[in-house]
Amino acid sequence: MLCFCSMHFPSTHNNLSTLQSLQSDATNKINALEDKTQYLGDGCNLKTIGYKYHVEHDMEDETNNGKIASITFKKKLNQTILGLSYASNIRVHNVDSPSRWYFQIDGQECSRPAKLDIALHQGIVNNRMQPSVLKGVCQATSAGNIGQGQHTISVHVQAIYGNSDAHSKWGSTSTLELQEMCPPF
């Protein structure tokens, strides 16, 4: 069967005008939706506000009590919280005494929503480095809410009791990561 059909194509000008109109409508709808859902108030949006990342490779650290890593960070908004993460390998060796690794913000441990720490006890004969991640969020320290401005975030190691032989960062890449973000609550 053979069909002789007549088709009508609108002018190119009309197609371009229609396409531009549809694109403009879609952009306006997306912008209106973002205005309604993205902002939680006081300039805080659902995305990460600020971010900082610090990397060290093969920086063996035999500190038993003290700071093992730190970065400075400028917090942009008062109402945001800090998401903190430290990844490295750790061990406690040759003693029957545990150690803990923890965050400090401006020399104070996080107190809200809770302390951010991990502890390790391996016993006298164990010398195994194990990968570990210390991670959490911090809204406040004993000094109060972490406000807008410059802050120092540091990772520390401490003997829980006795003379712990702690070891951090042996033969691997260690990372310290910080995010300023809106609270989920």
Side-chain angles (χ1 to χ4, degrees):
M1 176 183 235
L2 186 57
C3 174
F4 295 94
C5 301
S6 170
M7 297 186 73
H8 178 266
F9 294 100
S11 71
T12 305
H13 175 70
N14 287 342
N15 283 342
L16 182 59
S17 175
T18 301
L19 182 60
Q20 288 171 337
S21 175
L22 289 172
Q23 183 178 14
S24 176
D25 287 346
T27 301
N28 289 339
K29 287 177 182 177
I30 289 170
N31 289 340
L33 182 61
E34 286 178 350
D35 287 342
K36 290 178 185 173
T37 61
Q38 188 175 19
Y39 292 96
L40 300 174
D42 300 326
C44 194
N45 67 43
L46 297 174
K47 297 180 182 177
T48 298
I49 308 296
Y51 180 83
K52 193 157 187 182
Y53 186 78
H54 176 74
V55 170
E56 295 177 337
H57 181 69
D58 208 14
M59 300 289 293
E60 187 172 352
D61 193 325
E62 296 183 26
T63 301
N64 293 318
N65 286 292
K67 180 170 54 176
I68 59 171
S70 71
I71 57 175
T72 57
F73 180 77
K74 187 171 184 178
K75 193 166 176 272
K76 296 177 183 175
L77 300 171
N78 281 323
Q79 70 275 20
T80 54
I81 60 174
L82 298 180
L84 307 171
S85 174
Y86 178 71
S88 186
N89 57 34
I90 61 175
R91 70 114 166 102
V92 178
H93 176 63
N94 268 351
V95 292
D96 193 21
S97 175
S99 289
R100 66 186 281 260
W101 283 256
Y102 60 97
F103 284 112
Q104 283 190 348
I105 295 100
D106 300 327
Q108 302 289 319
E109 282 195 66
C110 185
S111 62
R112 192 171 60 228
K115 284 185 178 182
L116 300 176
D117 66 351
I118 55 175
L120 180 64
H121 184 257
Q122 289 183 317
I124 294 174
V125 295
N126 203 341
N127 187 21
R128 179 182 37 200
M129 299 297 289
Q130 71 181 50
S132 297
V133 176
L134 170 57
K135 185 173 185 166
V137 297
C138 187
Q139 183 178 12
T141 67
S142 60
N145 282 344
I146 303 165
Q148 180 178 3
Q150 194 76 16
H151 298 280
T152 300
I153 290 81
S154 52
V155 180
H156 295 254
V157 63
Q158 174 187 34
I160 294 175
Y161 60 81
N163 293 317
S164 180
D165 183 13
H167 209 100
S168 308
K169 310 180 195 180
W170 184 79
S172 68
T173 299
S174 299
T175 59
L176 176 55
E177 182 178 17
L178 173 113
Q179 294 180 31
E180 179 181 358
M181 55 194 175
C182 293
F185 36 84

